[in-house]
Amino acid sequence: MSTTAVPTASPASHEVDGWAIHHSAALESTNSTASHLPAWSAVRAKTQTAGRGRTGRAWVGDEGGLWLSAVLPCPGERSRWATLPLAVGWALMAALKDLGAQGLRLRWPNDLMVGHCKLAGVLVERYRDDTAVVGIGLNVHNHPEACEPLLQGQTIRLSDLIAMPYDLDFLERVVLRSLRRVHRTLSNEGFDAIAVPMNLAWNVPSRVELTLNGNQGTVDGWFQGIDSHGRLRLITAPDSQRFLEPGDVALLREID
Ligand code: BTN
């Protein structure tokens, strides 16, 4: 039986803070379900059976994590919203810091890390010109390494960072509020309002190796933050730099 059916008005659908929220026990991917819904809808599943990460990777969506997709309006030119994925990562980090989580950092473009362990990931997909589906995966109480042994030592959970009086409903609300806020910032002030503090927060220069998409091999150099379009600035030699879009890069490896 397919698990991607569009959620309809049901006891599992309700409205909070102006969001129409749909809850399911299990879905293939909350992003896929949200792709059918209008702006200001959100979909959350207890588990995902075919969760998706960036650049075609799988995402483990076991019980106890926050698997949430929100549909945001994106009026105007498509290019105007190209920085949304970075802005969302930044907003998510700010929201979790407000809950008391310490030691968080962003790994470009939008992985939320503590040291070398991944706490959360963001997958933004454009199914329509006027909306974006923002998928957020946040490890909370779950055990991703039990589902995928390769993740052993690679992930961290919110419950490892802070005392957790918070349930997933509360975290959902916090995250949706932060999305509404960042959407307003991008609409009213533009990406510069986010890029400037983002660049200040990054520890640069730091050495990285990038695996490029499309069988373009790898390139290494010094990460120097982002430009006003959210592109990664890579210093490859003393007088040479490259700018890379998130879509250019399959994997960013940090070299200590
Ligand atoms: C990444 O770091 O590669 C992005 C991971 C995004 C995972 C979330 S979980 C909710 C939503 N549904 C999906 O299938 N993916 C995103």
mmCIF file of all heavy atoms in Angstrom, residues 15-55:
data_model
loop_
_atom_site.group_PDB
_atom_site.id
_atom_site.type_symbol
_atom_site.label_atom_id
_atom_site.label_comp_id
_atom_site.label_asym_id
_atom_site.label_seq_id
_atom_site.Cartn_x
_atom_site.Cartn_y
_atom_site.Cartn_z
ATOM 1 N N GLU A 15 -4.793 23.122 13.153
ATOM 2 C CA GLU A 15 -4.159 24.402 12.821
ATOM 3 C C GLU A 15 -3.448 24.963 14.054
ATOM 4 O O GLU A 15 -4.002 24.964 15.148
ATOM 5 C CB GLU A 15 -5.235 25.381 12.343
ATOM 6 C CG GLU A 15 -4.612 26.651 11.832
ATOM 7 C CD GLU A 15 -5.456 27.355 10.788
ATOM 8 O OE1 GLU A 15 -6.272 26.683 10.125
ATOM 9 O OE2 GLU A 15 -5.267 28.573 10.659
ATOM 10 N N VAL A 16 -2.196 25.374 13.856
ATOM 11 C CA VAL A 16 -1.421 25.989 14.942
ATOM 12 C C VAL A 16 -0.650 27.154 14.359
ATOM 13 O O VAL A 16 0.032 26.996 13.338
ATOM 14 C CB VAL A 16 -0.407 24.977 15.558
ATOM 15 C CG1 VAL A 16 0.452 25.664 16.620
ATOM 16 C CG2 VAL A 16 -1.114 23.790 16.156
ATOM 17 N N ASP A 17 -0.732 28.313 15.007
ATOM 18 C CA ASP A 17 0.031 29.497 14.590
ATOM 19 C C ASP A 17 -0.118 29.789 13.097
ATOM 20 O O ASP A 17 0.853 30.178 12.436
ATOM 21 C CB ASP A 17 1.531 29.324 14.891
ATOM 22 C CG ASP A 17 1.833 29.241 16.380
ATOM 23 O OD1 ASP A 17 0.996 29.692 17.177
ATOM 24 O OD2 ASP A 17 2.924 28.744 16.724
ATOM 25 N N GLY A 18 -1.291 29.541 12.541
ATOM 26 C CA GLY A 18 -1.498 29.843 11.125
ATOM 27 C C GLY A 18 -1.008 28.760 10.181
ATOM 28 O O GLY A 18 -1.031 28.948 8.962
ATOM 29 N N TRP A 19 -0.545 27.627 10.720
ATOM 30 C CA TRP A 19 -0.124 26.503 9.877
ATOM 31 C C TRP A 19 -1.212 25.435 9.881
ATOM 32 O O TRP A 19 -1.758 25.112 10.947
ATOM 33 C CB TRP A 19 1.152 25.844 10.423
ATOM 34 C CG TRP A 19 2.389 26.656 10.330
ATOM 35 C CD1 TRP A 19 2.867 27.524 11.271
ATOM 36 C CD2 TRP A 19 3.336 26.681 9.254
ATOM 37 N NE1 TRP A 19 4.042 28.081 10.845
ATOM 38 C CE2 TRP A 19 4.362 27.585 9.615
ATOM 39 C CE3 TRP A 19 3.419 26.020 8.023
ATOM 40 C CZ2 TRP A 19 5.453 27.840 8.780
ATOM 41 C CZ3 TRP A 19 4.509 26.279 7.198
ATOM 42 C CH2 TRP A 19 5.502 27.186 7.580
ATOM 43 N N ALA A 20 -1.509 24.866 8.730
ATOM 44 C CA ALA A 20 -2.376 23.677 8.666
ATOM 45 C C ALA A 20 -1.449 22.471 8.784
ATOM 46 O O ALA A 20 -0.630 22.221 7.893
ATOM 47 C CB ALA A 20 -3.118 23.643 7.341
ATOM 48 N N ILE A 21 -1.567 21.749 9.893
ATOM 49 C CA ILE A 21 -0.586 20.704 10.205
ATOM 50 C C ILE A 21 -1.222 19.321 10.074
ATOM 51 O O ILE A 21 -2.316 19.082 10.583
ATOM 52 C CB ILE A 21 -0.029 20.905 11.628
ATOM 53 C CG1 ILE A 21 0.606 22.300 11.719
ATOM 54 C CG2 ILE A 21 0.995 19.836 11.968
ATOM 55 C CD1 ILE A 21 1.199 22.635 13.059
ATOM 56 N N HIS A 22 -0.493 18.429 9.400
ATOM 57 C CA HIS A 22 -0.974 17.061 9.174
ATOM 58 C C HIS A 22 0.010 16.092 9.824
ATOM 59 O O HIS A 22 1.211 16.165 9.531
ATOM 60 C CB HIS A 22 -1.050 16.772 7.663
ATOM 61 C CG HIS A 22 -1.845 17.802 6.909
ATOM 62 N ND1 HIS A 22 -3.193 17.695 6.707
ATOM 63 C CD2 HIS A 22 -1.466 18.965 6.342
ATOM 64 C CE1 HIS A 22 -3.624 18.749 6.027
ATOM 65 N NE2 HIS A 22 -2.591 19.528 5.795
ATOM 66 N N HIS A 23 -0.511 15.237 10.674
ATOM 67 C CA HIS A 23 0.350 14.250 11.328
ATOM 68 C C HIS A 23 0.042 12.851 10.798
ATOM 69 O O HIS A 23 -1.119 12.506 10.603
ATOM 70 C CB HIS A 23 0.110 14.245 12.840
ATOM 71 C CG HIS A 23 0.747 15.422 13.538
ATOM 72 N ND1 HIS A 23 0.536 15.712 14.853
ATOM 73 C CD2 HIS A 23 1.591 16.376 13.081
ATOM 74 C CE1 HIS A 23 1.227 16.794 15.184
ATOM 75 N NE2 HIS A 23 1.868 17.224 14.123
ATOM 76 N N SER A 24 1.088 12.076 10.575
ATOM 77 C CA SER A 24 0.906 10.684 10.134
ATOM 78 C C SER A 24 1.810 9.779 10.951
ATOM 79 O O SER A 24 2.853 10.224 11.445
ATOM 80 C CB SER A 24 1.300 10.519 8.674
ATOM 81 O OG SER A 24 0.377 11.136 7.842
ATOM 82 N N ALA A 25 1.412 8.531 11.044
ATOM 83 C CA ALA A 25 2.264 7.570 11.758
ATOM 84 C C ALA A 25 3.493 7.254 10.914
ATOM 85 O O ALA A 25 4.618 7.300 11.388
ATOM 86 C CB ALA A 25 1.473 6.303 12.060
ATOM 87 N N ALA A 26 3.280 6.951 9.660
ATOM 88 C CA ALA A 26 4.413 6.597 8.792
ATOM 89 C C ALA A 26 4.163 7.123 7.387
ATOM 90 O O ALA A 26 3.058 7.013 6.863
ATOM 91 C CB ALA A 26 4.593 5.086 8.751
ATOM 92 N N LEU A 27 5.179 7.716 6.814
ATOM 93 C CA LEU A 27 5.119 8.168 5.419
ATOM 94 C C LEU A 27 6.413 7.756 4.753
ATOM 95 O O LEU A 27 7.430 7.545 5.419
ATOM 96 C CB LEU A 27 4.991 9.695 5.346
ATOM 97 C CG LEU A 27 3.678 10.319 5.815
ATOM 98 C CD1 LEU A 27 3.799 11.844 5.833
ATOM 99 C CD2 LEU A 27 2.532 9.913 4.895
ATOM 100 N N GLU A 28 6.394 7.702 3.440
ATOM 101 C CA GLU A 28 7.670 7.471 2.755
ATOM 102 C C GLU A 28 8.585 8.664 3.025
ATOM 103 O O GLU A 28 9.705 8.516 3.480
ATOM 104 C CB GLU A 28 7.434 7.288 1.254
ATOM 105 C CG GLU A 28 6.810 5.944 0.952
ATOM 106 C CD GLU A 28 6.541 5.748 -0.528
ATOM 107 O OE1 GLU A 28 6.831 6.660 -1.329
ATOM 108 O OE2 GLU A 28 6.014 4.677 -0.882
ATOM 109 N N SER A 29 8.090 9.857 2.702
ATOM 110 C CA SER A 29 8.862 11.074 2.926
ATOM 111 C C SER A 29 7.871 12.211 3.162
ATOM 112 O O SER A 29 6.942 12.397 2.359
ATOM 113 C CB SER A 29 9.721 11.386 1.694
ATOM 114 O OG SER A 29 10.046 12.755 1.653
ATOM 115 N N THR A 30 8.053 12.949 4.230
ATOM 116 C CA THR A 30 7.138 14.071 4.496
ATOM 117 C C THR A 30 7.243 15.123 3.387
ATOM 118 O O THR A 30 6.267 15.802 3.081
ATOM 119 C CB THR A 30 7.438 14.716 5.863
ATOM 120 O OG1 THR A 30 8.825 15.050 5.924
ATOM 121 C CG2 THR A 30 7.086 13.782 7.007
ATOM 122 N N ASN A 31 8.428 15.249 2.762
ATOM 123 C CA ASN A 31 8.560 16.205 1.657
ATOM 124 C C ASN A 31 7.639 15.826 0.495
ATOM 125 O O ASN A 31 6.989 16.678 -0.102
ATOM 126 C CB ASN A 31 10.001 16.264 1.146
ATOM 127 C CG ASN A 31 10.805 17.378 1.801
ATOM 128 O OD1 ASN A 31 10.526 17.752 2.943
ATOM 129 N ND2 ASN A 31 11.794 17.899 1.099
ATOM 130 N N SER A 32 7.606 14.528 0.183
ATOM 131 C CA SER A 32 6.774 14.095 -0.943
ATOM 132 C C SER A 32 5.309 14.375 -0.647
ATOM 133 O O SER A 32 4.556 14.837 -1.515
ATOM 134 C CB SER A 32 6.959 12.602 -1.204
ATOM 135 O OG SER A 32 8.308 12.336 -1.465
ATOM 136 N N THR A 33 4.875 14.097 0.571
ATOM 137 C CA THR A 33 3.475 14.345 0.925
ATOM 138 C C THR A 33 3.183 15.846 0.877
ATOM 139 O O THR A 33 2.162 16.279 0.335
ATOM 140 C CB THR A 33 3.172 13.783 2.324
ATOM 141 O OG1 THR A 33 3.456 12.378 2.301
ATOM 142 C CG2 THR A 33 1.723 13.997 2.708
ATOM 143 N N ALA A 34 4.106 16.645 1.408
ATOM 144 C CA ALA A 34 3.891 18.095 1.444
ATOM 145 C C ALA A 34 3.877 18.708 0.044
ATOM 146 O O ALA A 34 3.316 19.787 -0.160
ATOM 147 C CB ALA A 34 4.969 18.761 2.287
ATOM 148 N N SER A 35 4.469 18.015 -0.917
ATOM 149 C CA SER A 35 4.550 18.574 -2.275
ATOM 150 C C SER A 35 3.168 18.825 -2.877
ATOM 151 O O SER A 35 3.028 19.603 -3.814
ATOM 152 C CB SER A 35 5.346 17.639 -3.184
ATOM 153 O OG SER A 35 4.600 16.467 -3.442
ATOM 154 N N HIS A 36 2.129 18.164 -2.347
ATOM 155 C CA HIS A 36 0.765 18.312 -2.883
ATOM 156 C C HIS A 36 -0.017 19.407 -2.162
ATOM 157 O O HIS A 36 -1.172 19.654 -2.511
ATOM 158 C CB HIS A 36 -0.003 17.000 -2.727
ATOM 159 C CG HIS A 36 0.679 15.821 -3.352
ATOM 160 N ND1 HIS A 36 0.695 15.624 -4.712
ATOM 161 C CD2 HIS A 36 1.381 14.795 -2.808
ATOM 162 C CE1 HIS A 36 1.366 14.513 -4.968
ATOM 163 N NE2 HIS A 36 1.791 14.000 -3.837
ATOM 164 N N LEU A 37 0.576 20.001 -1.147
ATOM 165 C CA LEU A 37 -0.206 20.871 -0.254
ATOM 166 C C LEU A 37 0.076 22.347 -0.516
ATOM 167 O O LEU A 37 1.139 22.717 -1.024
ATOM 168 C CB LEU A 37 0.121 20.526 1.199
ATOM 169 C CG LEU A 37 -0.226 19.085 1.600
ATOM 170 C CD1 LEU A 37 0.220 18.812 3.028
ATOM 171 C CD2 LEU A 37 -1.721 18.834 1.448
ATOM 172 N N PRO A 38 -0.873 23.221 -0.136
ATOM 173 C CA PRO A 38 -0.669 24.659 -0.360
ATOM 174 C C PRO A 38 0.275 25.287 0.673
ATOM 175 O O PRO A 38 0.609 24.639 1.671
ATOM 176 C CB PRO A 38 -2.089 25.229 -0.206
ATOM 177 C CG PRO A 38 -2.806 24.263 0.657
ATOM 178 C CD PRO A 38 -2.210 22.912 0.398
ATOM 179 N N ALA A 39 0.653 26.525 0.407
ATOM 180 C CA ALA A 39 1.532 27.265 1.319
ATOM 181 C C ALA A 39 0.934 27.303 2.717
ATOM 182 O O ALA A 39 -0.286 27.295 2.892
ATOM 183 C CB ALA A 39 1.733 28.679 0.797
ATOM 184 N N TRP A 40 1.824 27.315 3.691
ATOM 185 C CA TRP A 40 1.493 27.331 5.119
ATOM 186 C C TRP A 40 0.849 26.022 5.572
ATOM 187 O O TRP A 40 0.075 26.003 6.526
ATOM 188 C CB TRP A 40 0.652 28.549 5.508
ATOM 189 C CG TRP A 40 1.296 29.844 5.097
ATOM 190 C CD1 TRP A 40 0.792 30.755 4.227
ATOM 191 C CD2 TRP A 40 2.577 30.353 5.513
ATOM 192 N NE1 TRP A 40 1.676 31.808 4.062
ATOM 193 C CE2 TRP A 40 2.780 31.580 4.844
ATOM 194 C CE3 TRP A 40 3.578 29.892 6.375
ATOM 195 C CZ2 TRP A 40 3.931 32.359 5.006
ATOM 196 C CZ3 TRP A 40 4.723 30.667 6.533
ATOM 197 C CH2 TRP A 40 4.884 31.883 5.858
ATOM 198 N N SER A 41 1.179 24.935 4.860
ATOM 199 C CA SER A 41 0.837 23.597 5.343
ATOM 200 C C SER A 41 2.121 22.971 5.889
ATOM 201 O O SER A 41 3.227 23.325 5.469
ATOM 202 C CB SER A 41 0.345 22.692 4.216
ATOM 203 O OG SER A 41 -0.755 23.244 3.552
ATOM 204 N N ALA A 42 1.948 22.023 6.793
ATOM 205 C CA ALA A 42 3.113 21.285 7.298
ATOM 206 C C ALA A 42 2.703 19.831 7.510
ATOM 207 O O ALA A 42 1.550 19.535 7.830
ATOM 208 C CB ALA A 42 3.614 21.894 8.600
ATOM 209 N N VAL A 43 3.676 18.944 7.308
ATOM 210 C CA VAL A 43 3.440 17.500 7.440
ATOM 211 C C VAL A 43 4.494 16.934 8.379
ATOM 212 O O VAL A 43 5.686 17.221 8.217
ATOM 213 C CB VAL A 43 3.577 16.802 6.070
ATOM 214 C CG1 VAL A 43 3.395 15.289 6.219
ATOM 215 C CG2 VAL A 43 2.589 17.355 5.069
ATOM 216 N N ARG A 44 4.041 16.154 9.350
ATOM 217 C CA ARG A 44 5.004 15.482 10.235
ATOM 218 C C ARG A 44 4.660 14.002 10.308
ATOM 219 O O ARG A 44 3.479 13.645 10.347
ATOM 220 C CB ARG A 44 4.952 16.092 11.628
ATOM 221 C CG ARG A 44 6.133 15.685 12.489
ATOM 222 C CD ARG A 44 6.083 16.389 13.831
ATOM 223 N NE ARG A 44 5.730 15.456 14.873
ATOM 224 C CZ ARG A 44 5.045 15.770 15.953
ATOM 225 N NH1 ARG A 44 4.581 17.000 16.125
ATOM 226 N NH2 ARG A 44 4.791 14.858 16.863
ATOM 227 N N ALA A 45 5.690 13.189 10.311
ATOM 228 C CA ALA A 45 5.475 11.743 10.426
ATOM 229 C C ALA A 45 6.295 11.209 11.594
ATOM 230 O O ALA A 45 7.395 11.702 11.860
ATOM 231 C CB ALA A 45 5.898 11.049 9.138
ATOM 232 N N LYS A 46 5.740 10.189 12.263
ATOM 233 C CA LYS A 46 6.502 9.547 13.349
ATOM 234 C C LYS A 46 7.722 8.843 12.774
ATOM 235 O O LYS A 46 8.797 8.862 13.330
ATOM 236 C CB LYS A 46 5.630 8.499 14.046
ATOM 237 C CG LYS A 46 4.929 9.029 15.252
ATOM 238 C CD LYS A 46 4.369 7.879 16.078
ATOM 239 C CE LYS A 46 3.528 8.482 17.189
ATOM 240 N NZ LYS A 46 2.399 7.669 17.541
ATOM 241 N N THR A 47 7.502 8.198 11.625
ATOM 242 C CA THR A 47 8.630 7.545 10.952
ATOM 243 C C THR A 47 8.522 7.795 9.450
ATOM 244 O O THR A 47 7.424 8.019 8.922
ATOM 245 C CB THR A 47 8.641 6.009 11.166
ATOM 246 O OG1 THR A 47 7.436 5.482 10.621
ATOM 247 C CG2 THR A 47 8.740 5.638 12.622
ATOM 248 N N GLN A 48 9.675 7.761 8.798
ATOM 249 C CA GLN A 48 9.707 7.829 7.326
ATOM 250 C C GLN A 48 10.334 6.531 6.828
ATOM 251 O O GLN A 48 11.357 6.085 7.352
ATOM 252 C CB GLN A 48 10.561 8.997 6.858
ATOM 253 C CG GLN A 48 9.981 10.358 7.178
ATOM 254 C CD GLN A 48 10.820 11.472 6.558
ATOM 255 O OE1 GLN A 48 10.348 12.227 5.720
ATOM 256 N NE2 GLN A 48 12.059 11.570 6.985
ATOM 257 N N THR A 49 9.700 5.972 5.805
ATOM 258 C CA THR A 49 10.227 4.712 5.281
ATOM 259 C C THR A 49 11.189 4.935 4.109
ATOM 260 O O THR A 49 11.948 4.038 3.760
ATOM 261 C CB THR A 49 9.073 3.813 4.812
ATOM 262 O OG1 THR A 49 8.256 4.576 3.909
ATOM 263 C CG2 THR A 49 8.217 3.356 5.983
ATOM 264 N N ALA A 50 11.140 6.123 3.506
ATOM 265 C CA ALA A 50 12.062 6.432 2.401
ATOM 266 C C ALA A 50 12.438 7.913 2.476
ATOM 267 O O ALA A 50 12.299 8.655 1.498
ATOM 268 C CB ALA A 50 11.414 6.095 1.059
ATOM 269 N N GLY A 51 12.908 8.316 3.662
ATOM 270 C CA GLY A 51 13.320 9.711 3.854
ATOM 271 C C GLY A 51 14.472 10.054 2.915
ATOM 272 O O GLY A 51 15.311 9.202 2.612
ATOM 273 N N ARG A 52 14.474 11.292 2.452
ATOM 274 C CA ARG A 52 15.483 11.718 1.487
ATOM 275 C C ARG A 52 16.359 12.820 2.058
ATOM 276 O O ARG A 52 15.874 13.714 2.750
ATOM 277 C CB ARG A 52 14.808 12.219 0.203
ATOM 278 C CG ARG A 52 14.218 11.082 -0.594
ATOM 279 C CD ARG A 52 13.607 11.527 -1.890
ATOM 280 N NE ARG A 52 12.252 12.002 -1.698
ATOM 281 C CZ ARG A 52 11.862 13.246 -1.818
ATOM 282 N NH1 ARG A 52 12.730 14.175 -2.142
ATOM 283 N NH2 ARG A 52 10.603 13.591 -1.638
ATOM 284 N N GLY A 53 17.653 12.733 1.769
ATOM 285 C CA GLY A 53 18.584 13.790 2.137
ATOM 286 C C GLY A 53 19.003 14.552 0.895
ATOM 287 O O GLY A 53 18.500 14.294 -0.205
ATOM 288 N N ARG A 54 19.921 15.481 1.069
ATOM 289 C CA ARG A 54 20.414 16.257 -0.072
ATOM 290 C C ARG A 54 21.190 15.348 -1.017
ATOM 291 O O ARG A 54 21.674 14.295 -0.632
ATOM 292 C CB ARG A 54 21.324 17.391 0.410
ATOM 293 C CG ARG A 54 20.576 18.530 1.097
ATOM 294 C CD ARG A 54 21.524 19.676 1.448
ATOM 295 N NE ARG A 54 22.213 20.168 0.270
ATOM 296 C CZ ARG A 54 23.521 20.035 0.062
ATOM 297 N NH1 ARG A 54 24.291 19.465 0.953
ATOM 298 N NH2 ARG A 54 24.060 20.501 -1.050
ATOM 299 N N THR A 55 21.322 15.796 -2.228
ATOM 300 C CA THR A 55 22.075 15.148 -3.307
ATOM 301 C C THR A 55 21.788 13.635 -3.405
ATOM 302 O O THR A 55 22.707 12.828 -3.537
ATOM 303 C CB THR A 55 23.602 15.405 -3.194
ATOM 304 O OG1 THR A 55 24.096 14.878 -1.977
ATOM 305 C CG2 THR A 55 23.928 16.874 -3.269
#
